[in-house]
Amino acid sequence: MQQKKLVIVGNSVGIRIRPHLRQESRNYGQRLVQLLNEQADRDTLWVVENLSFPRATLYDIQDHLPAIVAAQGDIYLLNLGVCDAATREIPRWMSDLILRPRKDWRSRLLGQWHERVVKPNRSFFVKLRGKSSWMTEQRFTREYRKLIRLIHGNTPGHLICLSILPANERVERELPGSAARYQKFNMIIAQLAQEEAAHFYELTDYEPEADYPDGTHLNDQGHLRLAQELLPICLQF
């Protein structure tokens, strides 16, 4: 039997389902592989390898480049950008310190300050930092191009680049300026996909209330919809 592999490289959008319905919930990677197997002949089995990580920017993906190449996928889905583009109330180094597995007095103190002072006034601190994100447009462009070329140069995989879901009212209220940055980063992804012979798939017609109520992560219906829409694209390859 021939095995084919779908590889997802991304952040928590590729793995989380909000709200999570336990036994019933399947993310779009799981659903897409199921749909592909329903279309495949008896001698072909599709499997999925999901290399998605919470809070992952393109900077974090650098730690997983060997695994991305080793996966040797037939199709790669890049679901990146929202963690890079969103405006932030604290710098990345501080967030890393707060969330580190082994807590010390610094991380505990910063965590309490963030929880009690910053989070209740999140939009104020975002504006105080100049509505800046964790990744500049220039670095995002450079690292995204590098990732595409790494996959094209070292695997047989076809590449599909997903856009960032539009920011809903809650996201824009808490992280002002994110909506505009999402649009700019989506333009970068679309341009890079065109320049580097990848397929760009835009998610701008998704509705927050119906498809991603928390403003970032798809719900079960949204994951199913995305899998169904990606199926004919995957079948072209």
Side-chain angles (χ1 to χ4, degrees):
M1 177 175 285
Q2 178 189 19
Q3 179 173 287
K4 289 190 174 183
K5 183 184 289 186
L6 172 73
V7 179
I8 300 173
V9 180
N11 48 54
S12 61
V13 177
I15 47 179
R16 286 182 178 160
I17 304 163
R18 294 292 184 264
H20 187 69
L21 304 177
R22 293 179 65 81
Q23 300 301 325
E24 296 86 356
S25 290
R26 299 288 185 276
N27 62 47
Y28 71 80
Q30 295 169 308
R31 291 188 178 277
L32 181 53
V33 161
Q34 180 180 356
L35 293 173
L36 285 167
N37 280 321
E38 291 173 359
Q39 297 285 333
D41 57 48
R42 295 180 181 178
D43 296 326
T44 302
L45 174 66
W46 279 91
V47 297
V48 60
E49 184 167 350
N50 200 328
L51 299 175
S52 297
F53 308 96
R55 219 171 48 107
T57 65
L58 275 167
Y59 177 80
D60 302 295
I61 293 298
Q62 304 303 309
D63 295 334
H64 304 282
L65 295 181
I68 292 170
V69 172
Q72 290 294 302
D74 295 279
I75 297 175
Y76 281 82
L77 289 173
L78 299 190
N79 193 353
L80 293 158
V82 66
C83 296
D84 309 78
T87 58
R88 300 290 182 171
E89 74 277 16
I90 58 175
R92 179 58 191 260
W93 68 263
M94 188 179 295
S95 178
D96 288 342
L97 190 58
I98 291 171
L99 296 176
R100 67 192 304 178
R102 289 190 174 184
K103 304 287 186 183
D104 58 16
W105 68 269
R106 293 176 303 167
S107 59
R108 287 194 293 269
L109 185 62
L110 276 174
Q112 292 174 6
W113 173 75
H114 182 258
E115 190 68 28
R116 297 176 183 178
V117 178
V118 178
K119 284 183 71 174
N121 303 284
R122 202 174 185 187
S123 63
F124 168 79
F125 282 93
V126 169
K127 294 172 184 175
L128 188 65
R129 297 188 67 244
K131 299 181 181 179
S132 61
S133 60
W134 284 343
M135 182 80 74
T136 65
E137 294 171 36
Q138 294 76 16
R139 183 166 187 180
F140 182 82
T141 302
R142 183 171 65 250
E143 298 299 335
Y144 202 103
R145 188 190 303 275
K146 186 189 301 183
L147 180 59
I148 290 177
R149 291 183 174 179
L150 177 80
I151 293 170
H152 276 167
N154 296 278
T155 80
H158 299 279
L159 203 54
I160 302 172
C161 303
L162 302 182
S163 73
I164 305 168
L165 287 162
N168 70 353
E169 292 182 5
R170 184 190 68 81
V171 170
E172 187 61 20
R173 183 175 61 252
E174 294 186 8
L175 303 173
S178 289
R181 291 193 63 78
Y182 287 6
Q183 293 177 359
K184 290 180 180 179
F185 277 57
N186 278 338
M187 291 174 63
I188 292 171
I189 296 171
Q191 183 64 32
L192 289 174
Q194 182 180 18
E195 293 175 0
E196 301 293 335
H199 187 101
F200 175 68
Y201 191 73
E202 196 165 11
L203 306 176
T204 53
D205 64 338
Y206 279 59
E207 294 292 336
E209 288 188 11
D211 301 308
Y212 58 113
D214 76 351
T216 302
H217 304 96
L218 293 163
N219 58 15
D220 204 57
Q221 174 181 306
H223 278 280
L224 176 59
R225 176 185 173 183
L226 181 53
Q228 291 171 334
E229 292 178 0
L230 290 173
L231 177 63
I233 300 172
C234 293
L235 291 175
Q236 295 176 15
F237 302 134

